[in-house]
Amino acid sequence: MKAGQVTVTLSNGVRMPMEGFGVYQIADPAECAQMTEAAIRCGYRLIDTAAFYGNEESVGAAIRTAGVPREELFVTTKLWVQDMSYENAGKAFETSREKLGLDSIDLYLIHQPFGDFFSAWRRLEELYHEGKVRAIGVSNFFPAQLANFCETVAVKPMVNQVELHPFFCQEAALATMQYYGVAPQAWAPLARGKRGIFVHPVLTKIGARYGKTAAQVALRWNVQRGVSIIPKSANEERMAQNLAIWDFQLTDVEMAAISQLDIGHSEISFHDDPAYVRRMHARKIHG
Ligand SMILES: NC(=O)c1ccc[n+]([C@@H]2O[C@H](COP(=O)([O-])OP(=O)(O)OC[C@H]3O[C@@H](n4cnc5c(N)ncnc54)[C@H](OP(=O)(O)O)[C@@H]3O)[C@@H](O)[C@H]2O)c1
């Protein structure tokens, strides 16, 4: 099986690639289309975008020109905070679908646990039952919040996309996801370059044993503990490097050594900080 085609089976039976390509902060439309097309040609089969990223049209254009049949691709997009209501969720979904130029979306996520996400979820459940989206999920839901959500809703989320990397392992979050049958997906699996991850001595030393880079070791560690990953790179060499993680196996001792790097909190997002919540509500993506 080719690297980008290793899959995880979601709770509803849909198969999702274990590794995908993230397009956050590739804002320039031409660059985003070019990079997404390069990623698909390189072997990525999952593309992770969001209404908030402002690049769904570029992703759609790349899907049309990459020369890979639509059914071989898995496209994720996300509902932004501004549209977190029953009414707006349906409209926002249609807007995303049109921008992407797709008949159906493979995975639609509640981007942030802010706003009236319970009402929005009822609309997502309908979209799912109508066959407009193959799987629905959430993002940035922390353990107690995910438990409350799963205990309340009719259709449990199939995926929870959260920040997961060696400096923020989130074992408790993974245990809760496992309990509810929610597949974990790592955003910022390379810690967005923080803490010198690309030259980190522990990761570099382990990588040297396999002829792999620190980045590849960090990515391999997540998939080996059952977490799907969506690294971003706007560089073709690095995007290929990030996909070349399926031909080696970390030992239990190496896995444990990497988990030791955990600092127990994020240095990127601050979901329990009221000022952060206010900032997210203030980010408008349309009039
Ligand atoms: N749901 C959410 O709230 C949420 C939040 C954040 C991100 N995401 C998703 O997750 C994806 C990935 O997260 P992210 O973009 O924040 O961070 P990331 O993938 O952890 O890191 C991306 C950074 O690492 C660099 N990089 C990538 N591969 C490398 C390599 N092999 N060697 C050295 N440098 C490398 C990239 O630079 P170059 O581009 O120059 O290679 C870029 O600066 C996003 O694109 C987005 O789709 C979701």
Side-chain angles (χ1 to χ4, degrees):
M1 193 177 279
K2 287 187 192 149
Q5 291 160 15
V6 178
T7 58
V8 54
T9 303
L10 304 180
S11 59
N12 65 341
V14 165
R15 282 162 55 149
M16 178 179 80
M18 276 293 280
E19 182 164 12
F21 182 69
V23 298
Y24 184 39
Q25 290 173 331
I26 317 184
D28 177 72
E31 188 191 9
C32 182
Q34 192 192 331
M35 285 302 132
T36 306
E37 185 177 333
I40 295 170
R41 288 189 193 281
C42 174
Y44 289 86
R45 290 295 175 264
L46 184 159
I47 308 296
D48 181 86
T49 183
F52 178 69
Y53 303 166
N55 54 21
E56 289 167 309
E57 276 152 332
S58 303
V59 168
I63 289 169
R64 286 187 292 281
T65 53
V68 169
R70 164 70 184 100
E71 59 275 17
E72 286 182 24
L73 297 172
F74 189 101
V75 182
T76 303
T77 193
K78 313 184 191 88
L79 176 68
W80 184 240
V81 180
Q82 187 183 0
D83 293 316
M84 211 57 79
S85 67
Y86 177 85
E87 273 278 297
N88 289 354
K91 288 183 205 154
F93 178 80
E94 277 309 314
T95 304
S96 285
R97 206 168 63 92
E98 274 168 30
K99 285 187 174 172
L100 285 159
L102 299 174
D103 290 335
S104 67
I105 305 290
D106 297 286
L107 176 63
Y108 197 44
L109 301 178
I110 298 272
H111 200 148
Q112 299 284 356
F114 305 142
D116 185 4
F117 53 83
F118 276 100
S119 295
W121 187 256
R122 280 193 290 114
R123 190 71 190 98
L124 264 62
E125 288 175 337
E126 289 174 2
L127 294 168
Y128 174 63
H129 291 310
E130 288 162 12
K132 291 182 175 161
V133 54
R134 294 174 66 222
I136 50 177
V138 296
S139 179
N140 297 303
F141 275 47
F142 285 85
Q145 189 167 44
L146 182 70
N148 179 50
F149 194 71
C150 289
E151 294 293 341
T152 309
V153 296
V155 177
K156 288 186 185 44
M158 287 121 206
V159 171
N160 185 18
Q161 185 184 109
V162 299
E163 182 184 346
L164 292 164
H165 49 73
F167 307 124
F168 194 26
C169 300
Q170 298 218 59
E171 292 298 342
L174 293 183
T176 307
M177 290 185 229
Q178 189 175 22
Y179 182 88
Y180 288 105
V182 179
Q185 186 168 63
W187 66 254
L190 296 169
R192 212 175 277 171
K194 291 197 181 293
R195 292 192 166 256
I197 189 168
F198 302 122
V199 291
H200 194 284
V202 171
L203 302 174
T204 306
K205 191 174 167 198
I206 293 172
R209 295 178 195 141
Y210 303 99
K212 298 289 178 183
T213 65
Q216 289 171 314
V217 170
L219 296 175
R220 178 73 205 180
W221 167 83
N222 246 332
V223 297
Q224 221 171 288
R225 62 185 195 142
V227 174
S228 67
I229 52 171
I230 45 168
K232 171 260 170 184
S233 179
N235 171 289
E236 290 191 36
E237 216 168 278
R238 289 192 285 277
M239 88 181 49
Q241 181 193 126
N242 294 345
L243 205 53
I245 59 161
W246 298 95
D247 56 354
F248 74 112
Q249 180 88 14
L250 298 167
T251 65
D252 290 347
V253 172
E254 289 164 344
M255 288 291 289
I258 297 165
S259 299
Q260 289 283 316
L261 301 178
D262 192 14
I263 61 165
H265 62 87
S266 174
E267 294 178 304
I268 300 175
S269 67
F270 309 93
H271 284 82
D272 53 2
D273 175 358
Y276 182 83
V277 178
R278 282 193 288 276
R279 275 206 304 282
M280 293 296 107
H281 273 274
R283 301 287 287 274
K284 305 296 180 198
I285 59 169
H286 56 75

